[in-house]
Amino acid sequence: KYTSCDFKVNESSEPIPRDDSVVISILGIKLNDDGSMNEELVLRLKTGLELARCYPHAYVVVTGGPTAKNNPHVSEGGMMGEWLIHHGLDKSRLIMEDRAMDTIGNAVYTYDLLSKFYPQVSSVVVVSSDYHVARGSLLYEATLRLAALKTKGKKLKVISSVGAKTENPGYETIFLDAWSLCMVAGIDYEMLSVELE
């Protein structure tokens, strides 16, 4: 059950479509050593599931690879998908990506799946932790644009984002933002630093 569709959504100038042209992308986070999900990942899933209930025609992609130190047989995406199905998401709406090891990989592999199998999808809503959602969306958008350019494929754009409310102050800094974008663009951050001085 859910009580409200009044999300704190960071929207662009266009509203979230109410059809199957949108995908809700829930970003994974490192699994516990035994392969179980940590509380923060479950918060992301709860937020994503509530958003999916508010947009019943949207697809939901879960993304994340095998990050459990002592259990290489499970992935973030696999565990997340199982949780969503167990909590009521229709299996036909679920898209599972289980290779990515970071946010850039989340976007690369998601782009690949969407462009091959879901040609109707053109918009992405990113769900992450509140402290990570700004950088995550920035990286996701940049990576999706570069993937479309590289493959001469369909352009997908991030139109909104939702941050799962955590008690975590996070670790995001302007340096991390800049370094991450340099990584996406293939720029040596140290060389860029020298040129900017």
Side-chain angles (χ1 to χ4, degrees):
K1 288 186 170 184
Y2 61 99
T3 55
S4 171
C5 286
D6 295 328
F7 272 90
K8 234 183 163 182
V9 177
N10 305 309
E11 286 194 9
S12 64
S13 57
E14 55 193 279
I16 299 173
R18 296 201 166 267
D19 57 24
D20 67 354
S21 69
V22 66
V23 68
I24 297 164
S25 181
I26 308 173
L27 305 187
I29 194 170
K30 190 174 192 272
L31 296 171
N32 295 322
D33 288 351
D34 66 357
S36 60
M37 294 189 298
N38 62 51
E39 188 178 326
E40 188 171 331
L41 183 51
V42 174
L43 282 174
R44 291 183 186 187
L45 288 168
K46 287 178 178 176
T47 301
L49 182 58
E50 190 165 343
L51 188 63
R53 288 174 173 155
C54 295
Y55 294 89
H57 300 291
Y59 288 103
V60 178
V61 64
V62 289
T63 176
T67 57
K69 183 178 176 184
N70 299 325
N71 190 349
H73 305 294
V74 297
S75 66
E76 294 169 17
M79 296 296 288
M80 294 163 73
E82 286 178 19
W83 188 96
L84 287 171
I85 297 299
H86 179 75
H87 287 85
L89 183 73
D90 189 312
K91 201 172 189 174
S92 67
R93 296 176 65 192
L94 181 67
I95 303 168
M96 189 178 65
E97 183 290 303
D98 61 0
R99 297 185 290 164
M101 300 304 283
D102 57 26
T103 306
I104 294 168
N106 294 149
V108 167
Y109 293 127
T110 296
Y111 180 87
D112 188 46
L113 287 170
L114 295 177
S115 59
K116 282 182 183 170
F117 304 113
Y118 301 87
Q120 72 276 36
V121 172
S122 57
S123 303
V124 179
V125 178
V126 173
V127 176
S128 189
S129 300
D130 46 8
Y131 65 87
H132 177 259
V133 75
R135 185 171 69 92
S137 297
L138 185 68
L139 288 177
Y140 222 81
E141 176 74 14
T143 304
L144 291 177
R145 286 176 186 247
L146 287 171
L149 180 66
K150 183 178 178 182
T151 63
K152 296 185 170 84
K154 182 175 181 176
K155 182 181 172 187
L156 298 172
K157 59 184 176 175
V158 174
I159 59 165
S160 302
S161 61
V162 180
K165 190 173 169 80
T166 69
E167 300 298 322
N168 191 337
Y171 51 83
E172 308 296 306
T173 63
I174 191 69
F175 170 81
L176 191 54
D177 287 349
W179 179 81
S180 298
L181 282 174
C182 285
M183 222 168 77
V184 170
I187 298 169
D188 182 342
Y189 181 80
E190 289 182 9
M191 290 303 295
L192 180 66
S193 299
V194 169
E195 289 174 21
L196 291 175
E197 287 178 355

